[in-house]
Structure formats: structure tokens, C-alpha cells
Amino acid sequence: MNEKIERLKGKLIVSCQALPHEPLHSSFIMGRMARAAAEGGAMGIRANTKEDIKEIQLNVDLPIIGIVKRDYEDSRVYITPTMKEVDELMEVSPEIIALDATEALRPGGVTLDEFFMQIKHKYPEQLLMADCSTAEEALHADEIGFDFIGTTLVGYTPQSRGHRIEENDFEILRKIIEKSTHRVIAEGNINTPQKARRVIELGAFSVVVGSVITRPQMITRTFVDELE
């Protein structure tokens, strides 16, 4: 692992993303969002699309977890689903590329194991992060050789619906950390500083926080809901 990646240990990664339907959708804005996160002490950034990543790289010198979110009609996988998205990301060389590592088949009926091997064959040195939704998926991703195991999709898939990462003092996370040989990155609904600190105490290598820092429309909604 390079020095940039080592600096992520025990630290905060901020997810700077805005999808086309969101008010802050703009590579320029995501670049400034990343700069603001860096000023606040973030040690890494998670970002979507090569355009946003390129702009972020102009604004901060932090390791980036890169993804491309794209929908395909024949698959429910949308986080870096095919080699096309991996190739796009490699144009800007993020330190880590994250992809859906759930049990769902990729477009064209490709399994996770097949896709992982395709990436490793084409880009053997690239670090990869598995975005998982269950402990079983996480441990399978660990077994096939992902460099980082993430809890990104807990609660967002049919097989994990109803689960929340913080349930029973992060029970799913603790199980993954206990049995994984690779580094575990806690992500998903970690929406308070106290939760972020707790996952690091439990042994997570790093923690990703997104919406509660970088999506003002959602932050605003929490205040409005409380008032109503």
C-alpha cells in the first residue's frame, strides 16, 4: 500500500457526489466540496465519474475512491457495473476503484468472480474495494481478493432490506472485521461523528461519510422534518 493509502488509517473519507437530478450536480462544485472536506480534515474522497474525479484532483491531493454509477436494463448492479466504467475510471487513475460486490449478476449475466478476474487481468496493480450489503457478500469478496471490503450497500439490496449498519452496535461490521483478512471500510448511514468514531474503535480501517456532510437538501430535510 502506498503512503497516501496508509494515511487513511483511522481517518475520515468524505463522499462528494451529486447525481444529475440533484441541485449540486457539477464537477466544479464537487471539486470545491472536496476542497472544503480537506480543509475540515478529511483524508480521502469518494467520488462518482471520471469528470468529477479529474476536477477533485485539481483541488486536493488526497486518495480517491472512484466509482461510476450507471444503470443497465438487464441488471440491478449500478456501482461500476462493467469494464466500460472501469476503463473510464482508469483514465483518471483513482487510488481505489469501488464496485458492487453483491450477489447480483452484472450486465450480461457476469458474476462478481468473473468480473473481478477481468479487472485484475487488465489492471493487475489497481486497488479494488468491494461494496457489499451482507456479511456473507463481504467475506466472499475478502476471499476472492478485494483490497478493501466496504459495508456500502447494507440495507440497499433485497437480501439486506430492513438491516441497518448501526444495528446492535454495528453487528454486521463487527462480524466482517473479525473474519476478514483485508481492510474493512465502514460506509453507509454513518451520520453522526459518534458513529464514525465507534466504527474506528471497532477496528474499521477507515470510515466514509457522505450525505450528512455533502447533500444540503437532505441535511435541510432533517431540520424540516423535526419542525413538522
Side-chain angles (χ1 to χ4, degrees):
M1 297 285 175
N2 65 36
E3 187 183 334
K4 257 187 174 182
I5 299 295
E6 291 299 336
R7 291 204 299 264
L8 291 175
K9 183 173 173 56
K11 301 298 184 183
L12 175 68
I13 298 167
V14 172
S15 182
C16 298
Q17 298 180 47
L19 298 174
H21 66 276
E22 295 182 277
L24 297 191
H25 178 64
S26 154
S27 295
F28 173 80
I29 292 174
M30 288 303 105
R32 295 306 174 94
M33 189 74 79
R35 190 188 294 184
E39 285 190 15
M43 293 302 288
I45 302 294
R46 180 168 163 126
N48 174 38
T49 76
K50 67 177 183 182
E51 293 81 9
D52 283 12
I53 292 169
K54 187 176 181 181
E55 182 66 26
I56 288 167
Q57 288 168 334
L58 295 174
N59 280 270
V60 299
D61 182 25
L62 295 176
I64 294 172
I65 300 172
I67 63 170
V68 176
K69 289 181 174 176
R70 187 167 288 147
D71 291 316
Y72 285 82
E73 287 185 2
D74 63 339
S75 174
R76 66 171 185 260
V77 171
Y78 67 96
I79 298 176
T80 322
T82 76
M83 191 61 76
K84 173 180 166 65
E85 289 76 36
V86 174
D87 290 339
E88 288 174 16
L89 289 167
M90 290 304 294
E91 292 178 34
V92 289
S93 301
E95 283 72 15
I96 301 167
I97 288 178
L99 54 133
D100 180 308
T102 67
E103 63 186 39
L105 293 177
R106 270 121 207 90
V110 176
T111 67
L112 173 65
D113 295 47
E114 290 168 337
F115 188 41
F116 179 83
M117 293 308 296
Q118 288 170 11
I119 300 171
K120 279 298 180 185
H121 178 73
K122 192 168 185 179
Y123 304 112
E125 301 303 315
Q126 178 61 44
L127 297 176
L128 299 176
M129 174 175 169
D131 287 347
C132 305
S133 72
T134 67
E136 291 73 23
E137 290 168 349
L139 296 175
H140 179 68
D142 180 63
E143 187 181 327
I144 63 176
F146 275 87
D147 303 284
F148 299 93
I149 312 300
T151 54
T152 318
L153 293 171
V154 173
Y156 293 99
T157 62
Q159 63 271 26
S160 68
R161 199 150 288 145
H163 293 285
R164 295 172 69 85
I165 187 179
E166 73 272 30
E167 280 179 335
N168 302 321
D169 190 27
F170 297 95
E171 182 178 13
I172 291 175
L173 178 69
R174 283 188 282 122
K175 184 185 293 187
I176 295 168
I177 290 169
E178 180 188 344
K179 297 187 176 179
S180 289
T181 58
H182 295 89
R183 296 172 176 190
V184 177
I185 295 178
E187 180 175 4
N189 204 46
I190 298 170
N191 52 15
T192 69
Q194 292 74 27
K195 288 181 187 177
R197 179 178 176 180
R198 181 60 179 151
V199 298
I200 297 298
E201 289 173 348
L202 291 172
F205 174 68
S206 191
V207 56
V208 177
V209 178
S211 299
V212 75
I213 294 175
T214 57
R215 283 193 161 102
Q217 73 275 23
M218 295 179 72
I219 302 164
T220 303
R221 174 53 59 188
T222 63
F223 284 87
V224 171
D225 287 348
E226 190 64 30
L227 292 174
E228 289 176 349

